[in-house]
Amino acid sequence: MSFQAPKGVKEYVPPQASTFSAIRAAFAETARRAGYSYLETAVFEDTQLFARGVGESTDVVSKEMYTFTDRGGRSLTLRPEFTAGVLRAVLEYGLHRGQLPVKVWANGPVFRAEAPQEGRYRQFYQLDLEAIGSEDPAVDAETIALAWQWYSALGLTRVRLLLNSLGCKECRPIYRARLQEFLRGLDLDEATRARIEINPLRVLDDRRPEVRAQLENAPLIGDHLCADCKAYHDRVKQLLADLDIPWEDSPKLVRGLDYYTRTTFEFDHPLLGAQSGIGGGGRYDGLSEAIGGPPLPGIGFGLGLDRTVLALEREGVQLDTPPRCEVYGVALGDEAARAMFRLLSELRAAGVAADMAFGGKGLKGAMKGADRSGARFALILGERDLAAEAVQVKDLTTADQTEVPLAQVVDVLKGKLQ
């Protein structure tokens, strides 16, 4: 077969896929317990949603989006992030007219045209959570805490929380002018100089060593916060401290999207090298207006499933995943196969993971299949067993074998598997 997955597309196959699924299921439960409802959004959107929402000057919009023209001549883009699309859906379906904040979460593939490397893919997977319609430090702290508690529940111990505030429409312009003044005096290329005039905070996010060296003495937004923003940020940190969640001040943390205001945060894992950011987010109080909606504050995050899988591997954490198979059926003869087929259906209906040997295999080949399945028990059913209305139950860990009446086998196995 000559076909392969496109370059930069991360795929998950068994057994690693079970870890991926368990991570997602754990997040779903974390979100549910905090009152968040699931939201399924479009994989592609009107290109202008991202241009206006994420920002024309960002690398995401200017360099990394997968944009195409459909047969109707419309410009569409595969989602490069979740927040703009989630907010669009909240506004379109009027969720903001009900109880606030609107608390939703989503997950799925995200697409960016980047140079593929470990931890950075062109198709990758995110968990997204948004709280829309409330400007309250407690909502910010809750959002951060949910991600932190999820990482902890997975067994990760090396995650670091980086925290900053990007100010508001009152204090940000003052800092912006001060930062522009500083940046104009640096030795920067023309593209970066152009960025200074459009969105100077984005220069602080530049990863090139020669640029970062020149930013050592750049003015910090934390020194220019207004009284309200400072009090807001202090309250967020106080609430996190109440939950014993440690953070590190990161005064140059701006993230890569234009819509962030006030609380901004990132989760970092030091064992992942250059791609150490495994999640992050922040407040976006002006995003609704930017895409044509009413004033509607919000905060949220995106967590990378791919990098979380890598972080678990780096720390040597093995998740407890549901068994693929607990009981494996071995039928000898056509009538026994028919009876086994019915029996497996009953087991599955009772909540037992069950499989069987297909294709009329003999006892030796079928038992090899039982061993490979990972099942704890094998059910062996032949003509004599059918005549006796019984089945042989073999414990594959001890090799002990007992005869159990067919009418009782489901209850017996459920008792043994508890």
Side-chain angles (χ1 to χ4, degrees), residues 331 333-343 356 381:
D334 291 343
E335 287 304 310
R338 184 179 175 189
M340 183 65 74
F341 192 73
R342 291 195 302 270
L343 182 55
M356 67 178 288
L381 187 64

Coordinates of all heavy atoms in Angstrom, one line a residue, residues 331 333-343 356 381:
A331 N -15.6 -21.1 20.6 CA -16.7 -22.0 20.2 C -16.1 -23.1 19.3 O -15.4 -22.8 18.3 CB -17.8 -21.3 19.6
G333 N -17.4 -25.7 16.7 CA -18.6 -26.2 15.9 C -19.6 -25.1 15.7 O -19.6 -24.1 16.4
D334 N -20.4 -25.3 14.6 CA -21.3 -24.3 14.2 C -22.4 -24.0 15.2 O -22.7 -22.8 15.5 CB -22.0 -24.7 12.9 CG -21.1 -24.7 11.7 OD1 -20.0 -24.1 11.8 OD2 -21.4 -25.4 10.7
E335 N -23.0 -25.0 15.8 CA -24.0 -24.7 16.8 C -23.5 -24.0 18.1 O -24.1 -23.1 18.7 CB -24.7 -26.0 17.2 CG -25.6 -26.6 16.2 CD -26.7 -25.6 15.7 OE1 -27.4 -25.0 16.6 OE2 -26.9 -25.3 14.5
A336 N -22.2 -24.4 18.4 CA -21.6 -23.8 19.6 C -21.3 -22.3 19.3 O -21.4 -21.4 20.1 CB -20.3 -24.5 20.0
A337 N -20.9 -22.0 18.0 CA -20.6 -20.7 17.6 C -21.8 -19.8 17.7 O -21.8 -18.6 18.1 CB -20.0 -20.6 16.2
R338 N -22.9 -20.4 17.3 CA -24.2 -19.7 17.3 C -24.6 -19.3 18.8 O -25.0 -18.2 19.1 CB -25.3 -20.5 16.6 CG -26.6 -19.8 16.5 CD -27.6 -20.8 15.8 NE -29.0 -20.2 15.8 CZ -30.1 -20.8 15.4 NH1 -29.9 -22.1 15.0 NH2 -31.2 -20.2 15.5
A339 N -24.5 -20.3 19.6 CA -24.8 -20.1 21.1 C -23.8 -19.1 21.7 O -24.2 -18.3 22.5 CB -24.7 -21.5 21.8
M340 N -22.5 -19.2 21.3 CA -21.6 -18.2 21.9 C -21.8 -16.8 21.4 O -21.7 -15.9 22.2 CB -20.1 -18.7 21.4 CG -19.0 -17.8 22.0 SD -18.9 -17.9 23.8 CE -18.2 -19.6 24.0
F341 N -22.3 -16.7 20.2 CA -22.6 -15.4 19.7 C -23.7 -14.7 20.5 O -23.6 -13.5 20.8 CB -23.1 -15.5 18.2 CG -23.1 -14.2 17.4 CD1 -22.0 -13.5 17.1 CD2 -24.4 -13.7 17.1 CE1 -22.1 -12.3 16.4 CE2 -24.5 -12.5 16.4 CZ -23.3 -11.8 16.0
R342 N -24.7 -15.5 20.8 CA -25.8 -15.0 21.7 C -25.3 -14.7 23.1 O -25.7 -13.7 23.7 CB -27.0 -16.0 21.8 CG -27.7 -16.2 20.5 CD -29.1 -16.9 20.8 NE -28.8 -18.2 21.4 CZ -28.7 -19.4 20.7 NH1 -28.7 -19.4 19.4 NH2 -28.5 -20.5 21.4
L343 N -24.4 -15.5 23.6 CA -23.9 -15.4 25.0 C -23.1 -14.1 25.1 O -23.2 -13.3 26.1 CB -23.1 -16.6 25.4 CG -22.5 -16.6 26.8 CD1 -23.6 -16.4 27.8 CD2 -21.7 -17.9 27.0
M356 N -14.8 -12.8 20.7 CA -14.8 -14.3 20.5 C -13.9 -14.6 19.3 O -13.6 -13.7 18.5 CB -16.2 -14.8 20.3 CG -16.9 -14.4 19.0 SD -18.5 -15.1 18.8 CE -18.1 -16.8 18.3
L381 N -16.8 -23.5 24.6 CA -18.1 -24.2 24.4 C -18.0 -25.1 23.2 O -17.7 -24.7 22.1 CB -19.2 -23.1 24.1 CG -20.6 -23.5 24.0 CD1 -21.1 -24.0 25.4 CD2 -21.5 -22.3 23.6

